[in-house]
Amino acid sequence: MAKPPPSASPLASPSAPPSPSASPSASPSPSASPSASPSPSLLSASAQGASFLILLQVASRLLTFAVNQVLLRFLSPALLGISTQLELYQVSVLYFSRESLRGALQRSGGDNGEEREGTAEVTREERNGAASLHDDTPAGRAQTVVNLSHLSLALGLPIALSLGRLYLRSQSAQSVVLATPFLHTSLRLYGLAAIVELLAEPCFVVAQHRLLFRVRAGAESAATVARCLVTCGVAVGAARRGRDVGVLPFALGQMAFALVLLAVYRWHMSGVAWRGGFSMSCRRIASRLPSQYILSAFSRPLLALAASLFLQSSIKHLLTQGDTLLIAALSTPADQGVYALASNYGSLAARLLFAPVEETTRVLFSNLLSSPTPSKAAVSTATSTLQTILHLYLLLALVTLSLAPTLAPLLLSLVAGPRWSSSGAGPALAAYTYYIPLLAINGVLEAFVASVATSTELRRQSAALLAFSVGFAASGALFLRVLGWGARGLVAANAASMALRVLWSGWFIVAYLRRHGGSLRVGEMLPARGSVAAAVCAGAALTRLPSGSSDLWGLIRGGAVAGVFGLVLIHAERRFLMESYRLLQSKTSAAAADAPKGSSEKDAARA
């Protein structure tokens, strides 16, 4: 399961939805050339991109976390549940409008090292002439990406109106929801924020296409700060005046996010477009094969690819957001708020670490394996990267499974207060921690599948996802309605569905590597025996902590156990950790050595 998009509002993240670019991809574009040996600069750029995105997620989530603690004092579980529903509305508008287009554009191929940072400038004559927008030039390729991204706005307007009406009709029997102050105004603001965010889509896809991670980090950081300030300011101001404004603070905060995101993207990308000789608006493109373009603007192969991805990405979105839809249908807004809080804290690691890694590896795998016949060097590099990430994720799984079920509820009681811990959020959060390792592993496996799968294979994945979604709905109804497990039952249904997705993706990757002369070495991915033994001992030690003590004292004792466990884990995995560090250092050094002679030190570091 993928992670929440950058547009997610504070607290309103009931599950771990996909990142903005976390869309599946289909078969390689017809213009893809056979893969050469992977360049160190590509690997370095991907690693640097992951670092930027992780730092962005850490900074924004820490700020959001601080704001959340303020908001929790002014929110009831019912209001949090309603804000979760509105967040799902906006996420769905964005996903159905742009994810299939993003998936197609990711497979269109990236630019070279100079073009990534926008340093490949064109002359005035080229900028003003038709040659600058020929589809076999860098400017023409960028314009192709820009033109197609504008279609997301054309899709977003009817989707926003349709889903908004559908939401109001679905809540006709929920008097608590309809009686919420400013509900209709908040719904309109969420829809308008989605449209404004779609206006920034051309800037996003060009930044992604050219690996301009600094631009994206700056835009999303500024937008996140604006959202937190507006949301917190409106909520606190209304509480001091004794006014009940419902979920209006969340809606206004989301609107601030979209406006700032658009402004910062436009500010940065207008210069990139000018230097590159293309436009951020829709323009005609010259081609040796005019039949490959509709209205001389929209690439016919990319449109066909996006159309084939739409059904698959829609099913994936419904499966990803299935827990939110299911709990909305089978529980009250108060119960939805409890689950939203538990899953929001439980999936914090997914949003901080897993989502940026998944997004960056998707770009890396797409570049390495874009050809139907990738080179052995490219397959080897992709395989070793996948094995390294899976090994790290399994180490994190040991830490999560041994420490989090005991410590997470204690931390929630201190952070959110007794009002929320007594509502059942603690046991739900403890159950959610068992689900996190599956979430991480599935993310990187599906990133690999999305990068190499053909149209036929994507249809098979769609059928499998549809079957898993039906099974998830059936098991969720059983756990919620029949067995009465509440939020814990929903987590169990999610875990079962996610395990099936992991198995399907693993089977696909093994078959793909076998066809191209590669293989996954399972032994190299598994943690050392000492690591497993230390995890078992740490988990047993935490369960034997004396009950009845304060939450703070329990956390202190648990922190001591975790510290000892961490030292043992580092010692047991020292060889793997050192090899991973040396590999990253060697790729970075090789990338710097490949920088053009005479370039500045800054340009070399950037490459």
Side-chain angles (χ1 to χ4, degrees):
M1 188 177 290
K3 325 359 100 289
S7 60
S9 62
L11 285 173
S13 300
S15 59
S19 65
S21 65
S23 62
S25 304
S27 58
S29 62
S31 61
S33 59
S35 298
S37 297
S39 64
S41 61
L42 173 61
L43 299 176
S44 178
S46 299
Q48 184 186 52
S51 302
F52 271 116
L53 294 180
I54 290 174
L55 290 176
L56 168 64
Q57 290 289 329
V58 170
S60 63
R61 292 303 168 182
L62 287 177
L63 177 60
T64 303
F65 185 83
V67 173
N68 286 349
Q69 310 322 306
V70 178
L71 293 177
L72 285 175
R73 270 53 182 181
F74 304 99
L75 281 179
S76 65
L79 277 181
L80 181 56
I82 295 171
S83 68
T84 297
Q85 296 173 2
L86 294 178
E87 178 66 24
L88 175 62
Y89 158 70
Q90 190 206 19
V91 168
S92 299
V93 171
L94 292 173
Y95 200 93
F96 290 130
S97 301
R98 68 189 184 187
E99 285 307 310
S100 60
L101 293 170
R102 285 185 174 184
L105 292 175
Q106 280 185 350
R107 298 296 292 273
S108 65
D111 294 324
N112 61 34
E114 290 182 349
E115 292 160 10
R116 284 177 195 148
E117 295 293 340
T119 59
E121 298 190 12
V122 299
T123 65
R124 183 179 299 274
E125 291 76 12
E126 290 175 326
R127 184 179 294 115
N128 296 328
S132 63
L133 288 181
H134 200 282
D135 64 353
D136 62 358
T137 64
R141 289 193 292 271
Q143 192 65 52
T144 300
V145 169
V146 170
N147 288 355
L148 199 64
S149 66
H150 279 287
L151 295 179
S152 62
L153 181 62
L155 292 172
L157 289 170
I159 290 175
L161 292 174
S162 301
L163 292 183
R165 292 177 179 176
L166 180 62
Y167 172 74
L168 291 177
R169 289 180 182 178
S170 67
Q171 300 299 325
S172 58
Q174 292 281 353
S175 58
V176 176
V177 176
L178 295 179
T180 303
F182 299 101
L183 176 67
H184 289 77
T185 301
S186 300
L187 178 64
R188 294 188 188 99
L189 284 173
Y190 268 102
L192 183 59
I195 299 303
V196 173
E197 201 166 330
L198 290 175
L199 289 173
E201 189 65 9
C203 301
F204 173 87
V205 295
V206 172
Q208 193 79 352
H209 194 251
R210 298 195 167 198
L211 304 183
L212 302 178
F213 295 108
R214 288 186 179 90
V215 174
R216 180 181 170 189
E220 294 183 5
S221 298
T224 300
V225 171
R227 180 181 58 203
C228 291
L229 293 177
V230 171
T231 303
C232 190
V234 174
V236 174
R240 288 182 176 179
R241 290 173 174 81
R243 295 193 59 185
D244 184 3
V245 293
V247 292
L248 187 60
F250 291 104
L252 291 173
Q254 199 57 48
M255 192 67 209
F257 178 95
L259 290 172
V260 173
L261 185 74
L262 175 62
V264 177
Y265 262 137
R266 285 288 182 178
W267 174 267
H268 284 286
M269 299 309 295
S270 59
V272 173
W274 171 256
R275 292 190 298 272
F278 60 95
S279 172
M280 297 309 298
S281 59
C282 193
R283 292 183 60 183
R284 296 170 66 88
I285 300 173
S287 174
R288 296 194 184 100
L289 299 173
S291 61
Q292 294 295 305
Y293 284 85
I294 299 175
L295 302 177
S296 299
F298 305 107
S299 170
R300 192 182 298 273
L302 289 178
L303 274 176
L305 181 57
S308 67
L309 284 171
F310 185 80
L311 176 61
Q312 197 262 359
S313 61
S314 299
I315 294 174
K316 185 175 181 179
H317 176 66
L318 293 176
L319 183 60
T320 301
Q321 299 290 344
D323 55 353
T324 308
L325 296 171
L326 191 64
I327 198 170
L330 301 179
S331 61
T332 64
D335 291 334
Q336 295 173 45
V338 170
Y339 177 75
L341 182 70
S343 61
N344 184 55
Y345 283 106
S347 61
L348 190 62
R351 296 192 300 274
L352 290 177
L353 177 61
F354 305 148
V357 171
E358 176 185 343
E359 186 172 339
T360 307
T361 53
R362 179 179 286 104
V363 176
L364 174 63
F365 293 147
S366 295
N367 281 279
L368 288 173
L369 307 173
S370 60
S371 170
T373 56
S375 65
K376 291 185 177 180
V379 173
S380 176
T381 301
T383 303
S384 62
T385 301
L386 180 63
Q387 289 184 164
T388 300
I389 294 173
L390 289 177
H391 192 154
L392 288 172
Y393 279 1
L394 289 175
L395 293 180
L396 290 175
L398 289 181
V399 176
T400 302
L401 296 178
S402 59
L403 304 179
T406 302
L407 299 181
L410 298 177
L411 181 62
L412 177 66
S413 179
L414 285 176
V415 170
R419 176 186 181 185
W420 285 92
S421 60
S422 61
S423 64
L429 178 59
Y432 201 94
T433 58
Y434 292 101
Y435 171 62
I436 293 175
L438 289 173
L439 190 70
I441 295 172
N442 178 75
V444 69
L445 292 182
E446 288 195 347
F448 191 102
V449 174
S451 302
V452 302
T454 64
S455 298
T456 301
E457 291 165 339
L458 281 175
R459 286 193 291 270
R460 293 174 184 170
Q461 186 188 30
S462 298
L465 290 177
L466 182 60
F468 299 158
S469 64
V470 172
F472 166 76
S475 59
L478 172 66
F479 295 147
L480 287 172
R481 283 283 177 86
V482 179
L483 299 180
W485 287 5
R488 290 178 298 170
L490 196 57
V491 174
N494 264 321
S497 176
M498 192 62 63
L500 293 175
R501 291 171 65 175
V502 168
L503 290 175
W504 192 96
S505 297
W507 167 81
F508 175 89
I509 293 172
V510 169
Y512 174 86
L513 294 177
R514 187 182 297 119
R515 291 197 305 269
H516 295 89
S519 63
L520 281 178
R521 294 178 289 275
V522 179
E524 296 183 7
M525 296 184 292
L526 296 178
R529 295 179 181 178
S531 303
V532 177
V536 173
C537 294
L542 288 178
T543 58
R544 294 181 178 273
L545 289 178
S547 58
S549 57
S550 66
D551 295 333
L552 179 59
W553 183 238
L555 279 175
I556 292 175
R557 292 187 175 184
V561 174
V564 175
F565 171 48
L567 293 175
V568 175
L569 185 67
I570 292 174
H571 177 75
E573 299 290 339
R574 62 190 183 280
R575 180 178 301 176
F576 166 74
L577 295 176
M578 289 300 299
E579 289 177 355
S580 300
Y581 176 76
R582 283 194 293 265
L583 178 64
L584 180 61
Q585 289 294 102
S586 65
K587 296 301 182 184
T588 304
S589 301
D594 282 353
K597 293 183 178 180
S599 61
S600 65
E601 182 181 356
K602 180 179 180 181
D603 290 335
R606 180 187 295 173

